[in-house]
Amino acid sequence: MTDIGWIELALTAARPQALGALLRYFRDLDTAEEAFQEACLRAVRTWPDKGAPRDPAAWLILVGRNSGVDQIRKRAKNEPLPEEAAFSDLSDAEEDIADRLDNAHYRDDILRLMFVCCHPDLPNTQQIALSLRIVSGLTVPQIAKAFLVSDAAMEQRITRAKARIARAQSDNTPGDKGVVGFEAPDAYERAARLKTVAAMIYLVFNEGYSSGVNKPDSIMFCEEAIRLVRILLRIFPSEAEIMGLATLMLLQHSRAGARFDNAGQIILLEDQDRSLWDKKLTAEALAMLDKAVRHRSGGPYQLQAAIAALHARAEKFEDTDWWQIDLLYQALEHLQPSPVVTLNRAVAVSKAEGPQEALALIETVAGPLDGYFYFHGVRGGLLMQSGQTAEAREAFDRAIALANSPAEAAHIRMQIDKLGEVGT
Amino acid sequence: MLYAILCYAHEETVFAWSREEEAAVMEKLHAVQAPLEKAGKLGPVGRLMPTTAATTVRKGRDEPLVLDGPFAETKEVLLGFYTVDFETLDEAVAFAKDLSAVNPGSSSYEIRPFYVFHPGQITASEAIV
């Protein structure tokens, strides 16, 4: 690895902590980002000769804070002085920062930085784009390419999202929905932030996982989400649901190399070559789930992780413990009722009991899922298994009309071809 | 003399390596080990999972405490290690509790799963040197 390559990795690793602290000082995302940027430029200039500091984040915070203060002073020559309350802690800017970093501020700093990207008014895609830009530090062209939009369009999207956050901060009073406080949150607020941030991280992951193709951009979303959840786990090591989320993403990502064939067609779980599953990720995930289970406080991420773990533990598809999976889905239905969960349970029921039982189960969610590709795909498959060829074809046609990607449509066409073989 | 060489590094950076970067580093590390391996001098080599996969058993006043995460105190230092094949984390925790029960004074045991483990070539008799 070159010097610059190493420095870039160190800057990316230090980013959430350093930028989070700068956001707390300046209470303004743009100022904090400029200050961090300036600190990074100086790091690239000085680290190759002097060597990297032992604590890169502390170095970046100190340098960034000084440069941010300089910027504010320069601006102040043309503008009236900002009120003292506009930024905190500036009086002790020269103080030894290492001491200050020990006092656990950084945990809330990182959480706050992630949380500002989850503003409730921002649509999911903007939350994802914003967190990739702000927390992960990806460039606008990198994000634009992954979302298949132009650089200009992505730049505009991110600028708008930031403006939306800034407006909410200035228009409303602290405590209002969508206003992020800069004081250390209480335990209740911290738990709420953690939950929101976990959902955002899973959104980032799913943006890659469900894109339906195995290209570097979708892999990037998944790997970045895993990096973010590891950061969360380091600062909140005892949160069983965060362990569950980490397990879930590691297991889903472990199958990345087996989910698509060379032509980009989807390969279903039952047909995947399990030797292509990433053993390292699977092992880490199972170790993580063991840790989570010891807490005896279940939750939706842990249940989904436990289901994924049963698939990971089965050496062959035939070895899958469908009965356990059905039970776990029942628990999930109880905790987080949703037609999609019921649909997933139906797949387990079809394996454990048979297609008729599964068909009866999915009839209960036919209404809410009528516009859902996966519903008609599963229903078609179940009808095919129970020999109802004509009905199966109808369901598959409906699925193709609702497909979200060419790969999904192609997969259903393959099913229809099988139907032809059954029929003749 | 038999030596343990313990590797400490910034895990945020190490786990941000791309697959290619990781493969390149591993190849270089392996090249450094190769002569020792050829000479039959290399003992067990392991690569540990990130600290997020770690659990720590700390000897408390009464029942030992089981904490999530790595051992992070600075007063105590690493004095030894065990490599054991357990089916579950619970078994590993029980073993660590047993160790701490017979170990006088304060002690902590960090339980961290391996990613990779090579048993090496050094035999027990050599290890008693």
Side-chain angles (χ1 to χ4, degrees), chain A residues 329-368:
Chain A
Y329 270 125
Q330 284 182 40
L332 191 58
E333 271 180 324
H334 183 72
L335 214 59
Q336 204 177 53
S338 123
V340 176
V341 173
T342 305
L343 178 63
N344 286 329
R345 179 157 87 82
V347 176
V349 167
S350 79
K351 306 288 181 193
E353 297 176 45
Q356 290 303 333
E357 286 79 359
L359 277 167
L361 182 61
I362 67 166
E363 278 316 309
T364 63
V365 291

Side-chain angles (χ1 to χ4, degrees), chain A residues 211-287:
Chain A
S211 68
V213 274
N214 200 21
K215 57 180 171 54
D217 291 331
S218 43
I219 297 281
M220 175 200 81
F221 281 116
C222 296
E223 288 183 344
E224 194 51 36
I226 289 171
R227 197 177 75 88
L228 293 179
V229 83
R230 281 190 178 136
I231 292 173
L232 265 196
L233 268 175
R234 275 197 291 271
I235 55 177
F236 295 101
S238 300
E239 292 292 333
E241 269 296 86
I242 305 299
M243 295 177 206
L245 176 61
T247 306
L248 179 60
M249 296 195 300
L250 287 167
L251 286 173
Q252 288 182 326
H253 191 49
S254 74
R255 302 185 207 129
R259 291 175 61 218
F260 300 95
D261 67 15
N262 292 334
Q265 303 283 357
I266 297 169
I267 304 177
L268 287 186
L269 195 60
E270 58 182 292
D271 301 320
Q272 287 175 15
D273 175 355
R274 296 185 176 213
S275 69
L276 296 177
W277 290 1
D278 189 322
K279 304 263 178 328
K280 222 173 112 189
L281 294 181
T282 313
E284 187 185 340
L286 296 178

Side-chain angles (χ1 to χ4, degrees), chain A residues 1 6 9-10 13 54 56 223 227 230 233-234 237-238 243 253 278 280 283-284 287-288 290-291 294-295, chain B residues 10-13 15-17 19 22 28 47 49-50 52-55 66 68-69 88-90 93 113 115:
Chain A
M1 227 174 294
W6 187 88
L9 279 180
R54 196 143 178 274
E223 288 183 344
R227 197 177 75 88
R230 281 190 178 136
L233 268 175
R234 275 197 291 271
S238 300
M243 295 177 206
H253 191 49
D278 189 322
K280 222 173 112 189
E284 187 185 340
M288 189 73 74
D290 257 9
K291 279 184 68 172
R294 284 184 55 87
H295 285 262
Chain B
H10 270 276
E11 66 175 340
E12 291 94 333
T13 314
F15 286 97
W17 287 345
R19 264 160 219 269
E22 159 129 2
K28 284 182 198 161
R47 181 148 188 233
M49 287 189 192
T52 46
T55 306
V66 181
D68 292 296
T88 66
L89 176 62
D90 286 345
V93 168
Y115 265 145

